[in-house]
DNA sequence: CCACAAAGTTTGACGGTTCAAACTTACAAG
DNA sequence: CTTGTAAGTTTGAACCGTCAAACTTTGTGG
């Protein structure tokens, strides 16, 4: 249906509007996220509007239509199932699978995708802890809060890592903080803007609050 | 490196020149195989010549350079490993995997490809019996002859099916003639242009000589 | 209220891939 | 030879996705 480029815009608009209070995405952020100039994003969004994938008016925010939303979720399902496959079946390192999935997500047919889902026993989260929508586009997942928000002494379970950069993912894994791991918040240095956390079986590690914002946890 | 379109031309030129006595491919056949008009093929071949992937002169045949040959073999390795994966790991029907691989072959990185090769234990033939080049582009495979060339009474082993059309592949599988199967040539009707063959454990089937040209066998 | 910065839009251009249609070349059959 | 046909080439146009650069709008701080 949608071209590879359009699918990438869809994902960007989807995730940007998800975390914007207005529920709309701005051209600047769409452009940044897709790695394109603002002029290009503007041009493409207009084209997507013509295809009824988004609604927007000049100088206003961009919002996915029901059709665009569904299409975005489909791409997300493909992306996350592929990541899961690359880690579980092919044993690739979780720090690099995001980039690989970024290309493959546009090449898998629904036949291959469903075979993949069966092969993996219909997983509901990907290697980073992100929820995998089911074939109908529905996602059932419990939330969580940034590690940064937990008080010293809290026992937590890592649920999700919200930063796909390989270096960050390697760092996180290095200290035992993969999704599913249990950890305890050892200390928070408010002046130092830091937090110290220890995963079970690992040495304690101190990181910036900003970094801890990307580690989503639940109370264990 | 090469675009998706160029990779498809490379494969077409590779296989066409392989089975041409001159070792060269004609524009018409390149166009037909890639599903494009001959004008387009002409344009693209000129561009490929500029990229040193092929050598040719106006109104002459097209031939891959060493670089083009290597690139074509790489695509072929990707295609065939992917087909093998789709059949073996994902349990997709061998009659449809060619079409799926046709898209995926352009999206797998070498990291994914090698992980795939390891996962499949470095297979050397794909589900259709076609040889899979190794990572260095080398292919080690024994030949065979068309089923059509065997005399009545011959005991053969099916080595390869040289026709990717789903209907033909389903027909072949239906009668037990997958690669690896043993069969005996029951009769040849030269007047009827037909051949009757029986795979072990299956009923005999009669098909046109033309069809039997696509079933490559070895003496069993 | 105004000026200015930030965000957004438009335009003209380019590379890639494709088509249709007009044209040219090569070649084989008479 | 001549000539008809099959093969190949060229050209002009289109669409996609992109950029740079000129331009417009919005909204905020002074
Ligand atoms: Mn992508
Ligand atoms: Mn992920
Ligand atoms: Mn292909
Ligand atoms: Mn094959």
């Amino acid at each position: 249906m949608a071209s590879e480029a359009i699918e990438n815009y869809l994902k960007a608009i989807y995730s940007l509007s998800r975390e914007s209070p207005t529920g709309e995405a701005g051209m600047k952020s769409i452009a940044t996220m897709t790695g394109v100039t603002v002029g290009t994003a503007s041009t493409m969004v207009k084209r997507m509007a013509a295809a009824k994938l988004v609604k927007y008016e000049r100088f206003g925010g961009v919002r996915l239509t029901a059709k665009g939303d569904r299409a975005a979720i489909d791409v997300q399902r493909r992306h996350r199932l592929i990541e899961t496959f690359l880690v579980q079946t092919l044993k690739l390192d979780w720090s690099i699978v995001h980039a690989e999935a970024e290309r493959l997500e546009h090449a898998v047919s629904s036949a291959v995708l469903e075979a993949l889902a069966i092969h993996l026993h219909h997983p509901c989260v990907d290697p980073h802890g992100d929820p995998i929508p089911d074939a109908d586009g529905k996602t059932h997942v419990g939330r969580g809060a940034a590690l940064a928000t937990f008080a010293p002494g809290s026992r937590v379970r890592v649920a999700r890592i919200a930063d796909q950069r390989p270096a960050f993912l390697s760092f996180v894994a290095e200290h035992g903080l993969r999704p599913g791991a249990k950890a305890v918040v050892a200390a928070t240095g408010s002046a130092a803007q830091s937090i110290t956390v220890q995963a079970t079986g690992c040495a304690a590690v101190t990181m910036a609050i900003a970094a801890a914002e990307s580690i989503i946890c639940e109370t264990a």
Side-chain angles (χ1 to χ4, degrees), chain A:
Chain A
M1 180 91 248
S3 69
E4 173 158 346
I6 297 286
E7 289 191 337
N8 288 332
Y9 288 102
L10 284 170
K11 279 203 313 182
I13 295 167
Y14 181 86
S15 74
L16 286 169
S17 37
R18 193 95 334 199
E19 57 207 41
S20 122
T22 67
E24 291 181 336
M27 281 303 165
K28 184 76 185 312
S29 10
I30 295 172
T32 303
M33 184 162 296
T34 53
V36 108
T37 63
V38 187
T40 300
S42 190
T43 302
M44 292 299 281
V45 164
K46 201 173 354 157
R47 201 175 298 179
M48 290 169 76
K52 301 262 194 261
L53 292 168
V54 301
K55 247 194 75 194
Y56 96 118
E57 47 211 31
R58 273 176 37 122
F59 299 102
V62 182
R63 187 188 296 273
L64 292 174
T65 59
K67 181 181 169 196
D69 200 70
R70 190 58 222 279
I73 290 172
D74 278 359
V75 183
Q76 197 151 69
R77 171 169 165 82
R78 280 179 258 153
H79 185 100
R80 294 180 179 168
L81 266 178
I82 289 166
E83 281 186 347
T84 306
F85 159 74
L86 293 175
V87 168
Q88 277 181 215
T89 306
L90 295 194
K91 315 296 184 200
L92 292 187
D93 194 290
W94 81 327
S95 67
I96 66 164
V97 297
H98 179 76
E100 297 287 354
E102 204 55 58
R103 267 168 301 114
L104 286 165
E105 66 190 359
H106 312 290
V108 292
S109 71
S110 60
V112 169
L113 195 74
E114 295 320 312
L116 216 39
I118 290 167
H119 178 254
L120 297 168
H121 306 102
H122 301 284
C124 56
V125 294
D126 82 359
H128 311 103
D130 291 308
I132 301 176
D134 67 23
D136 296 326
K138 304 256 188 312
T139 300
H140 348 253
V141 170
R143 287 256 54 89
L147 175 57
T149 65
F150 288 82
S154 307
R155 296 178 175 285
V156 301
R157 209 189 109 269
V158 178
R160 191 160 69 82
I161 307 297
D163 182 337
Q164 306 288 332
R165 286 172 302 179
F168 186 71
L169 292 171
S170 296
F171 164 79
V172 162
E174 179 104 11
H175 296 95
L177 297 168
R178 287 163 177 278
K182 298 233 162 86
V184 54
V185 177
T188 56
S190 39
Q193 297 275 70
S194 71
I195 184 169
T196 302
V197 59
Q198 178 175 22
T200 44
C202 284
V205 57
T206 301
M207 72 185 79
I209 292 290
E213 284 295 340
S214 298
I215 302 179
I216 313 302
C217 302
E218 295 163 357
T219 302

